[in-house]
Amino acid sequence: MNDLLMMAFWSFVLIFPAFVANSVPVLARGKRPVDFGRSLWDGNRILGDGKTFEGLAVGLIAGTAVGALAGYPLQSFLLALGALVGDMTGAFIKRRLGIARGKPAPVLDQIDFVIGALAFVYPVYPFAPEQAAFLVVVTPPIHLIANIGAYLLKLKPHPW
Ligand code: CTP
Ligand code: MG
């Protein structure tokens, strides 16, 4: 029991900068889309208006900063960058599936950034496989609760 609690605790410590990097972009109210407004052959936007340079900048800075304060700047930079790249990969997949910006893609919306963050940090911090499994399982409910909170605070137009 104690071992499981410790594993859970350190998993949250590990992923925290990625959670921050994924949460703050909505506050940026960005206007410059990363895909420059362009579409692909399927007629859908490459990424859509929900992925902006302003969002990337605040996410990278905030995510890196929290981890740097805790004393691990390189890991947190990679976690933040990976979270943002994972989130954009999720948006790319949604657009290819014809899912409009802001419309839900259950599971993908909740774990794209965790997968990205873990993949980017692994080379400098080879975490245990059970930590990755734990985070992939516990992140969706946490993400959902956080988004309902953001919706109630009128930060997001939908509770997902
Ligand atoms: N955001 C941003 N830049 C990013 C990521 C997010 O500006 N790189 C902002 C956008 O305003 C976005 C909001 O944060 O609408 C919430 O992010 P998310 O839920 O990932 O975007 P969605 O609007 O749901 O768009 P998508 O369908 O592409 O996921
Ligand atoms: Mg979304």
Side-chain angles (χ1 to χ4, degrees):
M1 184 59 200
N2 234 341
D3 284 357
L4 191 64
L5 273 178
M6 288 310 280
M7 191 275 286
F9 174 75
W10 287 112
S11 297
F12 281 126
V13 172
L14 166 67
I15 208 66
F16 191 68
F19 273 54
V20 171
N22 189 247
S23 312
V24 298
V26 70
L27 304 172
R29 303 194 180 279
K31 297 276 178 291
R32 297 174 183 78
V34 175
D35 67 6
F36 295 103
R38 273 175 239 188
S39 299
L40 288 188
W41 56 86
D42 57 10
N44 297 325
R45 288 281 297 276
I46 301 175
L47 299 175
D49 287 333
K51 307 300 144 191
T52 69
F53 285 111
E54 293 92 331
L56 289 184
V58 295
L60 197 59
I61 290 168
T64 305
V66 290
L69 288 175
Y72 54 113
L74 176 61
Q75 283 95 322
S76 58
F77 171 77
L78 292 171
L79 285 160
L81 187 64
L84 294 160
V85 169
D87 177 55
M88 287 192 290
T89 306
F92 181 83
I93 293 169
K94 284 171 75 174
R95 300 303 91 83
R96 303 291 73 71
L97 293 172
I99 302 170
R101 175 259 171 113
K103 290 281 177 277
V107 185
L108 184 62
D109 277 337
Q110 283 90 44
I111 63 164
D112 51 11
F113 76 98
V114 175
I115 308 244
L118 291 176
F120 273 56
V121 83
Y122 192 80
V124 301
Y125 185 85
F127 48 81
E130 60 264 31
Q131 286 186 294
F134 172 78
L135 288 170
V136 166
V137 171
V138 299
T139 299
I142 295 171
H143 190 269
L144 219 55
I145 292 165
N147 276 289
I148 291 168
Y151 168 73
L152 293 174
L153 291 170
K154 300 194 190 326
L155 290 172
K156 293 195 71 173
H158 310 288
W160 55 74

